[in-house]
């Protein structure tokens, strides 16, 4: 079938290549399943491989771990249905691959070759496609060229299919213009704080009747939170680490494992810029020395980035002898003379000189003891996970776990927002809020490698303490509310005077002027409600009272400025919004199309294979 939408396909395919590389780097294969299971299902005749599913799971775990800023275990992923999300995503992609196959949609060898040449990871020092670099990158990702190029061809076919379905979908320009007209509007206004110092007399002492009424009318302000009385048994590495004494052999082995960290040769941080011949390299070095150009400028002129030429941190043994001699001859940052390499002449820039480091075993022994003890403690705790699960399944209570095992039994009055003790763990807080009375305790993991099991004993509903128990708190709250009430009344008086022609200074207020403030900006140390109120005003000279934490704010609108749709900023916004809106609309259309395609071809899953993959990821 003839190719169409070539440039668009190329752009998406390059991203597809990079995603495949990331997936390959995850390092997962079907070996952990004994080599007998290769697929978990199919859409039509297109298989969903174990490799795809494992890679998808690992990427999802990595993404969630980064998003939550703590490790996400496979157990947590299964509890939250992340595995289902992965399977749905892979099934959708497989459905499109199957549709492209049935339609006979494909791209030719020339297109595949062109796309490969665009991937920086496959390029040599000169910026051109390098077969050795290509094969090396794939080898490091445990991929073979034939399989990789087949995946690339399928990805490109899917992108052709997407382009044919969604091509030409564009957002109505009036939508973007209306939105920018709203967001780009600007207003000028004056405002002044109304604080207790504006009141000529202090608040009266509240009567008993006033306190009783305030206590009842604002019950939610004084109620205790819902208390979830929870019993739990737990074990953390810190509970065991004090009883662990690593032997000398273990410490020596750990020191050996970290030898590259403790004992490092002299190193350099370098960048490499290759040239087609020695004449070009010598001319470039001469221009740098004469101040006519810089290394950075030469990189940019070549169409490269500093990341493209970065060689990282290297030791002498990492380099060929000629290169090492030139690079390590520099005792401070600088640029070498042209060096002849197996890939042609090149200039090397040394960005930092890192001295050799030798740290003796005795100097880091305490650190090694701490690490080895912590590692052994974590392993010891994890080794007990299945045992605890079995005991709970056999009917053991949490109290019995506390008596018969190393787990500690305790109880906590948990409420939303508690962070003391075991409530300091996100994993426990999530579990505590999900527990129901009568739930069977199950062993769960903590973020530091610990384990716990919990039981909800009772839920104590929020209660309003008697007035006598919180009288001082209620009185303080009444006084604050009374201050706000009086300041609001004062503000209303000031509004009347402003309407009659007085200025804020005439009223003895310390006023500030804000010019051309945008809707999405903020006024320092002022509540968000200030700008919200200003943008709710409809005409100049309108005034309003804005509630504040300790009083009120008097505000007067000066001017309304419409958005300038011809400004460069506006044009950039409109173009970007139009592109994003069109992309979102296309995504919605394509999602519906994908659902229809999947329904037409049919999805079959081997639950036994799915379970086996899930188990291998634990």
């Amino acid at each position: 079938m003839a190719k169409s939408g070539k440039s668009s396909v190329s752009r998406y395919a390059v991203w597809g290549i990079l995603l495949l590389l990331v997936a390959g780097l995850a390092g997962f294969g079907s070996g952990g399943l004994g080599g007998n299971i290769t697929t978990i299902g199919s859409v039509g005749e297109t298989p969903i491989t174990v490799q795809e599913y494992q890679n998808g799971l690992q990427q999802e775990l990595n993404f969630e771990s980064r998003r939550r800023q703590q490790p996400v275990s496979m157990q947590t992923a299964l509890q939250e249905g992340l595995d289902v999300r992965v399977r749905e995503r892979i099934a959708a992609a497989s459905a499109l691959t199957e549709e492209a196959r049935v339609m006979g949609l494909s791209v030719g060898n020339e297109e595949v070759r062109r796309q490969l040449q665009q991937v920086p990871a496959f390029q040599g020092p000169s910026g051109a496609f390098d077969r050795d670099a290509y094969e090396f990158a794939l080898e490091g990702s445990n991929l073979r060229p034939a399989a990789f190029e087949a995946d690339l061809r399928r990805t490109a076919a899917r992108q052709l299919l997407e382009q044919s379905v969604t091509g030409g979908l564009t957002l109505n320009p009036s939508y973007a213009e209306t939105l920018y007209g709203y967001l780009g509007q600007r207003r000028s206004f004056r405002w002044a704080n109304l604080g207790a110092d504006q009141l000529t007399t202090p608040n009266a002492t509240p009567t008993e009747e006033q306190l009783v009424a305030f206590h009842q009318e604002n019950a939610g302000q004084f109620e205790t939170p819902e208390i979830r009385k929870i019993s739990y048994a737990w074990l953390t590495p810190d509970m065991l680490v004090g009883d662990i004494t690593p032997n000398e052999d273990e410490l020596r082995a750990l020191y050996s494992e970290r030898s590259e960290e403790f004992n490092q040769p002299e190193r350099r941080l370098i960048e490499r810029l290759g040239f087609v011949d020695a004449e070009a390299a010598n001319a470039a070095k001469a221009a740098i020395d004469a101040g006519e150009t810089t290394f950075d400028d030469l990189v940019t002129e070549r169409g490269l980035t500093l990341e493209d030429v970065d060689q990282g941190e290297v030791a002498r043994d990492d380099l060929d002898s000629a290169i090492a001699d030139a690079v390590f001859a520099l005792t401070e940052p600088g640029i070498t003379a042209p060096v002849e390499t197996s890939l042609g002449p090149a200039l090397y820039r040394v960005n930092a000189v890192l001295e050799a480091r030798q740290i003796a075993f005795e100097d880091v022994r305490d650190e090694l003891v701490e690490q080895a003890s912590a590692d052994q403690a974590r392993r010891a705790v994890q080794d007990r996970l299945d045992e605890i699960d079995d005991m709970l399944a056999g009917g053991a209570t949490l109290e019995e776990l506390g008596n018969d095992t190393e787990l500690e039994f305790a109880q906590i009055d948990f409420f939303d927002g508690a962070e003391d003790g075991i409530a300091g763990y996100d994993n426990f807080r999530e579990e505590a809020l999900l527990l129901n009375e009568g739930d069977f305790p199950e062993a769960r993991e903590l973020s530091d490698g610990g384990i716990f099991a919990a039981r909800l004993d009772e839920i104590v509903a929020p209660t309003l303490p008697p007035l006598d128990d919180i009288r001082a708190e209620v009185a303080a709250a009444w006084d604050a509310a009374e201050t706000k009430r009086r300041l609001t009344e004062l503000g209303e008086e000031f509004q009347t005077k402003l309407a009659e022609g007085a200025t804020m200074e005439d009223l003895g207020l310390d006023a500030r002027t804000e010019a051309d403030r945008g809707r999405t900006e903020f006024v320092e140390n002022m509540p968000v409600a200030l700008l919200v109120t200003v943008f709710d005003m409809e005409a100049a000279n309108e005034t309003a009272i804005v509630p504040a934490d300790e009083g009120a704010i008097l505000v007067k609108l000066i001017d309304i400025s419409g958005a300038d749709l011809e400004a460069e900023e506006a044009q950039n916004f409109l173009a970007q919004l139009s592109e994003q809106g069109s992309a979102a609309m296309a995504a919605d259309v394509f999602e519906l199309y994908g659902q229809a395609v999947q329904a037409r071809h049919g999805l079959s899953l081997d639950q036994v294979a799915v379970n086996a993959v899930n188990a291998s990821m634990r």
Side-chain angles (χ1 to χ4, degrees):
M1 183 173 180
K3 296 188 291 288
S4 63
K6 185 174 181 179
S7 61
S8 177
V9 173
S10 298
R11 181 173 68 253
Y12 286 118
V14 169
W15 282 106
I17 296 170
L18 296 178
L19 289 174
L20 286 169
L21 277 175
V22 171
L25 287 168
F28 283 87
S30 59
L33 304 178
N36 297 320
I37 301 175
T38 59
T39 68
I40 65 165
S42 64
V43 179
E45 296 182 16
T46 298
I48 302 174
T49 68
V50 165
Q51 181 80 51
E52 286 179 292
Y53 184 42
Q54 283 181 318
N55 289 339
L57 286 173
Q58 189 61 49
Q59 290 170 25
E60 190 72 17
L61 291 174
N62 292 342
F63 171 78
E64 286 296 325
S65 296
R66 290 193 299 271
R67 185 177 69 83
R68 305 180 190 189
Q69 297 184 337
Q70 66 177 27
V72 175
S73 66
M74 188 61 193
Q75 182 181 13
T76 298
L78 294 176
Q79 291 170 358
E80 297 181 3
L82 301 184
D83 60 315
V84 176
R85 188 161 72 192
V86 170
R87 290 197 295 275
E88 289 176 346
R89 187 164 59 237
I90 294 175
S94 299
L96 298 176
T97 299
E98 174 67 4
E99 181 76 352
R101 184 193 67 79
V102 171
M103 295 173 63
L105 192 63
S106 184
V107 296
N109 293 335
E110 191 60 36
E111 177 66 13
V112 172
R113 184 180 299 108
R114 190 183 67 80
Q115 292 172 5
L116 289 176
Q117 291 173 345
Q118 294 181 0
V119 182
F122 301 159
Q123 295 171 0
S126 65
F129 177 78
D130 185 285
R131 185 72 187 182
D132 291 337
Y134 170 54
E135 293 181 354
F136 179 77
L138 293 187
E139 182 180 352
S141 304
N142 198 26
L143 295 169
R144 293 184 177 181
F148 179 79
E149 290 162 18
D151 281 340
L152 171 59
R153 200 181 302 274
R154 285 191 292 269
T155 299
R158 285 202 303 267
Q159 297 299 341
L160 276 173
L161 182 58
E162 179 176 358
Q163 183 67 19
S164 66
V165 172
T166 62
L169 290 174
T170 57
L171 194 68
N172 190 314
S174 62
Y175 172 83
E177 292 173 359
T178 301
L179 183 57
Y180 187 78
Y182 174 82
L183 293 176
Q185 191 182 84
R186 309 192 74 82
R187 301 196 173 197
S188 299
F189 57 95
R190 302 201 78 207
W191 63 273
N193 262 323
L194 302 181
D197 55 338
Q198 259 90 36
L199 299 175
T200 57
T201 60
N203 293 335
T205 301
T207 65
E208 184 67 14
E209 291 75 13
Q210 286 175 315
L211 286 182
V212 169
F214 189 83
H215 175 249
Q216 293 297 322
E217 292 168 2
N218 298 275
Q221 183 177 344
F222 306 112
E223 280 183 345
T224 61
E226 177 186 88
I227 300 296
R228 300 172 70 84
K229 291 183 174 293
I230 295 174
S231 295
Y232 63 94
W234 69 324
L235 181 65
T236 68
D238 286 345
M239 295 177 185
L240 300 180
V241 73
D243 298 327
I244 295 175
T245 304
N247 61 47
E248 200 70 12
D249 289 342
E250 291 170 334
L251 296 178
R252 291 285 180 181
L254 183 56
Y255 177 79
S256 179
E257 288 176 12
R258 297 176 58 184
S259 61
E260 291 186 0
E261 174 186 347
F262 297 135
N263 304 303
Q264 295 185 340
E266 187 177 358
R267 290 150 294 134
R268 301 285 189 271
L269 291 177
I270 65 172
E271 294 164 333
R272 178 190 185 281
L273 184 61
F275 294 87
V276 294
D277 53 40
E279 182 179 354
N282 286 320
K285 182 61 166 67
I288 292 174
D289 292 343
E292 298 170 358
T293 190
T294 67
F295 189 89
D296 289 352
D297 290 340
L298 291 174
V299 171
T300 302
E301 290 171 7
R302 191 73 60 78
L304 303 173
T305 67
L306 292 179
E307 290 183 359
D308 295 330
V309 300
D310 183 29
Q311 301 287 292
E313 182 181 312
V314 298
R316 176 177 282 275
D317 290 344
D318 297 328
L319 305 171
D320 292 340
S321 58
I323 301 172
D325 289 343
V327 167
F328 281 82
L330 296 178
T331 57
E332 59 184 24
I335 300 173
T336 68
V339 182
E340 192 64 39
T341 75
S342 59
L343 298 175
L347 294 179
Y348 286 85
R349 178 164 68 176
V350 175
N351 292 314
V353 174
L354 306 177
E355 300 297 335
R357 180 171 61 182
Q358 299 288 330
I359 302 178
F361 171 79
E362 291 73 17
D363 293 334
V364 292
R365 192 180 191 284
D366 290 345
E367 178 183 339
L368 296 172
V369 168
E370 182 177 343
Q371 179 186 343
S373 299
D375 289 344
Q376 290 184 32
R378 279 191 292 271
R379 288 195 297 271
V381 172
Q382 289 297 307
D383 288 344
R384 287 160 175 75
L385 184 60
D386 290 340
E387 174 191 348
I388 299 304
D389 248 341
D390 291 342
M391 292 181 67
L392 290 170
T397 65
L398 299 179
E399 290 83 354
E400 289 171 339
L401 290 182
N403 290 327
D404 301 338
T405 72
E406 292 169 298
L407 272 69
E408 294 183 3
F409 175 79
Q411 294 176 310
I412 182 174
D413 287 348
F414 178 83
F415 57 91
D416 192 9
E419 292 188 351
D420 292 335
I422 194 173
Y425 292 88
D426 289 344
N427 319 57
F428 178 83
R429 292 197 300 272
E430 293 171 4
E431 179 75 4
L433 293 172
L434 295 173
L435 284 175
N436 296 307
E437 291 187 67
D439 282 353
F440 183 79
E442 297 181 34
R444 307 292 191 196
E445 296 182 47
L446 295 170
S447 57
D448 64 353
I451 57 176
F452 76 97
R455 179 186 69 225
L456 178 62
D457 298 326
E458 180 185 0
I459 295 178
V460 179
T463 58
L464 176 63
L467 175 60
D468 286 343
D469 291 352
I470 55 172
R471 181 174 293 274
E473 181 183 346
V474 173
W478 180 92
D479 188 68
E482 179 67 6
T483 297
K484 284 188 177 183
R485 184 191 66 79
R486 293 180 64 195
L487 287 173
T488 299
E489 289 182 351
L490 180 62
E492 291 169 353
E493 294 176 13
F494 286 167
Q495 282 183 276
T496 300
K497 293 179 180 179
L498 289 175
E500 294 171 350
T503 66
M504 289 190 180
E505 286 72 18
D506 293 338
L507 302 175
L509 300 177
D510 182 15
R512 286 179 50 183
T513 300
E514 306 291 340
D516 286 331
R517 285 288 194 171
R519 189 183 297 272
T520 58
E521 296 179 16
F522 66 95
V523 179
E524 187 176 4
N525 298 325
M526 288 295 105
V528 174
L530 175 58
L531 275 177
V532 172
T533 301
V534 167
F535 277 87
D536 282 342
M537 295 179 177
E538 298 180 354
N541 296 319
E542 188 176 339
T543 62
I545 301 296
V546 181
D549 290 341
E550 298 181 0
I553 302 170
L554 177 63
V555 59
K556 179 178 180 179
L557 183 62
I558 299 174
D559 182 55
I560 299 176
S561 301
D564 182 3
L565 296 178
E566 301 302 322
E568 181 179 356
E569 177 185 2
Q571 290 299 310
N572 292 337
F573 176 90
L574 294 174
Q576 183 177 8
L577 182 61
S578 179
E579 182 178 346
Q580 291 175 348
S582 299
M585 183 167 57
D588 290 341
V589 170
F590 197 62
E591 181 179 356
L592 294 173
Y593 173 75
Q595 292 171 357
V597 166
Q598 186 171 318
R600 183 164 64 252
H601 293 298
L603 167 66
S604 63
L605 285 177
D606 182 345
Q607 193 58 49
V608 173
V610 170
N611 293 341
V613 175
N614 291 346
S616 74
M617 298 286 290
R618 287 179 182 268

